[in-house]
Amino acid sequence: MLRDHPDLITAMRRDDDAWIRLAASAAFDVHRVHGAYVSYDGRGAIAVAPYDDLDPDDCLAQIILHELCHFAAEGPASRHLADWGLDNTDDRHVDREHLALWVQRALVDPHRLADVLAPTTDFRPWYDAHLDAPVPPAAVDIAAALRATPLGRAIDQQLAAIGGTVDQYLAHIGTAGAPFLRHRQSRR
């Protein structure tokens, strides 16, 4: 798993400022706040816990990307709703969480980053179980619409940069040293 590769996580975290600027380009301000994993206030502020409060394999790239996928999946009106209008305290919005994860997959797959930018939340088992499944057309359409925007193009640029970081890391340790990156290695 990614958490077994702290040097790669550190390298990916070096791009945190780029992801914060990317979010700002879409009028979302990212703030590091103790006491919450990630939340969105419905007024443009994405609160993310500092790394000391997150899982060891979390990085802002994955977190901000996922929040932007919620925004894309829920539509423009969600910009004005706390947590994009979703409630994760029960199962009523699980299908919406899955849609955001599918949109995320549609965005990361061309860069072979599905294993690298996987969720670290309770949805990880679901995500892993669907890694080899084709992305549903609705999520492909949402991702394509996002890619046609300046925000989507900026996301693609940042994903390409992460792909370069991962390739450098694999060149350093050898692909056998990171079997969890099977999608990175098999989709060249």
Side-chain angles (χ1 to χ4, degrees):
M1 296 194 73
L2 185 59
R3 71 182 55 192
D4 298 327
H5 299 272
D7 292 342
L8 177 56
I9 296 165
T10 299
M12 289 171 49
R13 287 179 177 178
R14 286 188 198 115
D15 289 335
D16 282 358
D17 288 342
W19 282 92
I20 291 169
R21 286 190 305 275
L22 185 147
S25 76
F28 295 114
D29 294 317
V30 176
H31 303 278
R32 304 310 289 267
V33 178
H34 286 283
Y37 173 68
V38 179
S39 65
Y40 175 65
D41 71 355
R43 295 183 307 273
I46 299 171
V48 181
Y51 281 125
D52 291 347
D53 295 347
L54 295 174
D55 293 327
D57 54 347
D58 277 324
C59 66
L60 284 186
Q62 188 278 328
I63 291 169
I64 292 172
L65 173 65
H66 184 70
E67 291 305 300
L68 295 174
C69 288
H70 274 302
F71 173 56
E74 297 306 317
S78 69
R79 177 182 288 276
H80 307 291
L81 302 171
D83 292 321
W84 319 108
L86 304 176
D87 182 349
N88 67 357
T89 60
D90 58 37
D91 289 343
R92 75 186 124 150
H93 292 133
V94 168
D95 60 328
R96 307 309 298 167
E97 181 66 36
H98 290 170
L99 179 60
L101 289 169
W102 281 121
V103 171
Q104 185 172 326
R105 267 279 312 286
L107 292 171
V108 301
D109 271 0
H111 301 279
R112 299 182 333 266
L113 293 170
D115 297 331
V116 176
L117 295 176
T120 61
T121 64
D122 295 342
F123 288 96
R124 179 63 185 261
W126 179 90
Y127 183 88
D128 286 346
H130 292 85
L131 268 176
D132 293 320
V135 177
V140 171
D141 292 346
I142 292 168
L146 179 57
R147 275 196 192 96
T149 68
L151 175 61
R153 289 188 291 278
I155 289 170
D156 259 352
Q157 288 176 345
Q158 284 306 118
L159 292 174
I162 290 174
T165 299
V166 173
D167 286 343
Q168 287 176 355
Y169 179 75
L170 289 173
H172 176 70
I173 68 160
T175 56
F180 78 98
L181 292 173
R182 63 189 171 91
H183 286 88
R184 179 100 192 133
Q185 297 166 30
S186 66
R187 292 185 180 176
R188 287 186 179 237

